[in-house]
């Protein structure tokens, strides 16, 4: 009868994380990464997690001890047995204290060992630092590219604005020249009209003089036959 071995896929070393660790970079030396791609899942984050758990266990034990102290004590025994009872109680408390310390050490020893492994895992820490540095460099490069594109767009906008301003200035100058020419033409027409009006006035004066002269001649002719008779 053969027993098949089941290989389990490695998981992230961060407490409670079930994701797979990051793959090892091609050509990279040292052990494979032990943590996933989560930014907080690294040796320092795991150490802080274990430290928080240990602090919580201490708080729970302190609360349990305070609760035990609040329990009413048994009534004292008779005076004859007080010394014997005190010795037995002291021995029991000492034994309980030793047992509690041994149990506490047994419970916390794996955590201390794992914390020590996390702290001394320099290769994983360096790999994580390199990954974070690479990601930061990529973000900085992307930000610089966006800034460059924004500067180019701003330069294009300024160039377009300058071209539009020049075109507007040229059109404005052309309109002003056209308006000045039309005003000059209007002034010329107005001057010619005034000159024609003056000539018409002079002609009217001459026409009146001719009319007066013709009337005088007509009256003279009318008076001439009467004198001859």
């Amino acid at each position: 009868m053969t027993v098949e071995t089941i290989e389990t896929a490695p998981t992230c070393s961060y407490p409670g994380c079930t994701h797979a660790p990051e793959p090892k970079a091609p050509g990279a030396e040292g052990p494979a990464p032990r943590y996933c791609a989560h930014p907080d899942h690294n040796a320092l984050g795991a150490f802080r997690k274990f430290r928080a758990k240990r602090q919580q266990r201490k708080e729970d034990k302190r609360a349990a001890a305070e609760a035990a102290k609040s329990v009413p004590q048994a009534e004292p025994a008779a005076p004859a047995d007080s010394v014997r009872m005190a010795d037995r109680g002291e021995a029991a408390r000492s034994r309980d204290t030793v047992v509690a310390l041994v149990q506490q050490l047994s419970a916390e020893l794996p955590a201390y060992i794992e914390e020590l492994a996390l702290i001394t895992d320099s290769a994983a820490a360096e790999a994580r630092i390199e990954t974070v540095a690479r990601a930061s460099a990529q973000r900085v490069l992307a930000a610089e590219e966006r800034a460059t594109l924004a500067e180019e767009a701003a330069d294009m906008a300024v160039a377009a604005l300058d071209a539009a301003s020049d075109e507007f200035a040229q059109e404005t100058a052309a309109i002003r020249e056209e308006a000045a020419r039309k005003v000059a033409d209007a002034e010329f027409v107005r001057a010619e009209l005034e000159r024609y009006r003056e000539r018409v006035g002079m002609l009217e004066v001459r026409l009146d003089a001719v009319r007066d002269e013709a009337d005088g001649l007509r009256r003279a002719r009318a008076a001439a036959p009467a004198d001859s008779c």
Side-chain angles (χ1 to χ4, degrees), residues 43-61:
L44 181 59
F47 174 74
R48 290 174 177 173
K49 186 73 172 180
F50 279 111
R51 186 172 59 183
K53 287 185 177 180
R54 185 177 61 186
Q55 186 66 26
Q56 185 63 36
R57 287 196 298 269
K58 289 182 180 179
E59 294 293 337
D60 295 340
K61 290 179 181 179

Side-chain angles (χ1 to χ4, degrees), residues 1-228:
M1 180 178 180
T2 58
V3 179
E4 295 181 357
T5 58
I6 300 175
E7 296 183 358
T8 58
T11 58
C12 178
S13 297
Y14 189 85
C17 181
T18 58
H19 294 287
E22 287 186 316
K24 187 176 181 180
E29 298 180 357
R34 298 175 54 191
Y35 300 93
C36 64
H38 194 282
D40 295 333
H41 291 190
N42 48 43
L44 181 59
F47 174 74
R48 290 174 177 173
K49 186 73 172 180
F50 279 111
R51 186 172 59 183
K53 287 185 177 180
R54 185 177 61 186
Q55 186 66 26
Q56 185 63 36
R57 287 196 298 269
K58 289 182 180 179
E59 294 293 337
D60 295 340
K61 290 179 181 179
R62 187 180 297 110
E66 292 178 356
K69 290 180 181 179
S70 63
V71 176
Q73 300 292 331
E75 295 183 358
D81 298 333
S82 59
V83 177
R84 188 180 298 107
M85 293 293 294
D87 293 339
R88 290 179 180 177
E90 185 67 25
R93 284 194 296 272
S94 300
R95 184 186 60 189
D96 294 340
T97 302
V98 172
V99 172
L101 290 175
V102 171
Q103 291 177 352
Q104 180 180 358
L105 181 60
S106 300
E108 295 182 355
L109 185 59
Y112 289 137
I113 294 175
E114 189 165 0
E115 290 177 8
L116 182 61
L118 291 172
I119 295 173
T120 56
D121 190 3
S122 59
E126 290 178 359
R128 186 60 185 171
I129 292 172
E130 183 179 358
T131 301
V132 173
R134 190 183 305 112
S136 300
Q138 291 177 355
R139 287 194 293 269
V140 170
L141 181 60
E144 291 179 352
E145 291 179 353
R146 289 194 296 270
T148 302
L149 292 176
E151 291 178 357
E152 292 178 355
D155 293 339
M156 293 176 62
V158 171
L161 181 61
D162 293 339
S165 299
D166 294 340
E167 184 178 359
F168 177 75
Q170 293 176 1
E171 292 180 355
T172 303
I175 292 173
R176 288 178 178 175
E177 292 178 358
E178 183 69 18
R181 186 170 61 254
K182 290 182 178 180
V183 169
D185 294 341
E187 293 293 336
F188 176 76
V189 171
R190 188 178 295 108
E192 289 293 323
L193 182 60
E194 291 295 332
R195 188 164 60 84
Y196 286 142
R197 286 179 179 175
E198 291 178 358
R199 292 182 62 184
V200 169
M202 293 175 62
L203 291 175
E204 288 179 351
V205 171
R206 291 182 61 185
L207 180 60
D208 292 338
V210 170
R211 286 177 179 174
D212 293 341
E213 186 178 356
D215 290 340
L217 292 174
R218 192 179 298 110
R219 286 193 297 270
R221 288 179 182 177
D227 293 339
S228 61

